[in-house]
Amino acid sequence: MNALEELTESFSRLPGIGKKSAGRMTNFLLRADPAFVERFAGQIATLQQKIRPCSVCGAWTEHDPCPICTDSTRDRTVLCVVEQPQDVPTIDSSPEYHGLFHVLGGVISPLDGVGPDQLRIGELVARVRDEHIQEVILATNPTVEGDTTALYIQRVLQDCGCTVTRLASGLPVGGDLEYIDKLTLARSFRGRTKI
């Protein structure tokens, strides 16, 4: 295997990148400005040395604690619980949310050997008690594992004196009913609101 094939193979291991896209990326880099390629390679080489989980919330950060945890303008009584660090910027980009975050590091999945002890649930309970959190918003994915994790957390936090809520799920804006799956439709009916 030559260098071109090796790099294409490496790119194809990235999530969402197939062989054709990996080949296009490799060919782009061959034609790109050498200074860009060198800077890009350096960024990849030092990524894991520079970026680490925040010691407070678990989000990816270059400075510990992260800018979200140290931002005094955020609502420090609300905590949004997500599965992975990459979920934090997605929710933080919404103008609707101004609270803090807590990253679990996964979901409960007995088939994969992941139980509550492998997640940051103990840290979550400690934060809720120590930081006087009034509302915990569960933003796990609407999957069997995400729902199981949300229910487990709700049970664990029931005596902590905070309100536990879950993000709504259902029909997407601009969606067409004929293409909606049965589970999404069922969630939409259960989560309907008065207008």
Side-chain angles (χ1 to χ4, degrees):
M1 192 180 288
N2 63 32
L4 182 66
E5 293 168 334
E6 286 178 0
L7 184 57
T8 300
E9 174 64 29
S10 293
F11 276 133
S12 71
R13 292 183 61 193
L14 296 172
I17 306 295
K19 289 281 187 192
K20 285 186 180 182
S21 294
R24 282 193 289 274
M25 293 166 71
T26 302
N27 284 302
F28 169 82
L29 291 174
L30 285 171
R31 293 186 308 274
D33 176 40
F36 166 76
V37 174
E38 188 173 327
R39 188 174 66 248
F40 183 58
Q43 291 166 338
I44 291 173
T46 60
L47 180 66
Q48 291 184 332
Q49 297 163 5
K50 291 182 177 179
I51 306 297
R52 61 194 168 279
C54 173
S55 60
V56 178
C57 71
W60 295 129
T61 187
E62 195 166 349
H63 305 286
D64 193 24
C66 74
I68 292 175
C69 288
T70 57
D71 183 352
S72 61
T73 65
R74 298 190 80 92
D75 183 349
R76 305 188 89 63
T77 65
V78 181
L79 191 62
C80 182
V81 178
V82 296
E83 293 179 13
Q84 297 295 345
Q86 60 265 30
D87 299 329
V88 171
T90 302
I91 292 178
D92 198 42
S93 68
S94 167
E96 297 297 317
Y97 186 70
H98 305 287
L100 301 174
F101 289 92
H102 186 84
V103 178
L104 294 173
V107 288
I108 297 171
S109 178
L111 293 176
D112 296 322
V114 180
D117 295 340
Q118 282 83 41
L119 304 177
R120 298 182 65 242
I121 295 174
E123 292 92 332
L124 171 62
V125 173
R127 284 187 74 189
V128 168
R129 288 190 174 136
D130 297 345
E131 298 175 26
H132 309 291
I133 301 296
Q134 295 175 11
E135 181 183 6
V136 173
I137 302 169
L138 300 175
T140 55
N141 289 319
T143 61
V144 171
E145 294 83 3
D147 290 346
T148 300
T149 305
L151 288 171
Y152 180 84
I153 291 171
Q154 189 247 338
R155 277 199 311 267
V156 168
L157 294 178
Q158 68 186 358
D159 296 329
C160 289
C162 67
T163 301
V164 180
T165 60
R166 180 110 159 96
L167 285 185
S169 59
L171 298 175
V173 174
D176 196 328
L177 281 175
E178 70 178 297
Y179 300 112
I180 303 299
D181 64 277
K182 290 178 183 179
L183 180 59
T184 301
L185 192 56
R187 286 174 183 263
S188 298
F189 273 103
R190 284 196 302 270
R192 67 189 184 274
T193 58
K194 186 176 183 179
I195 57 172

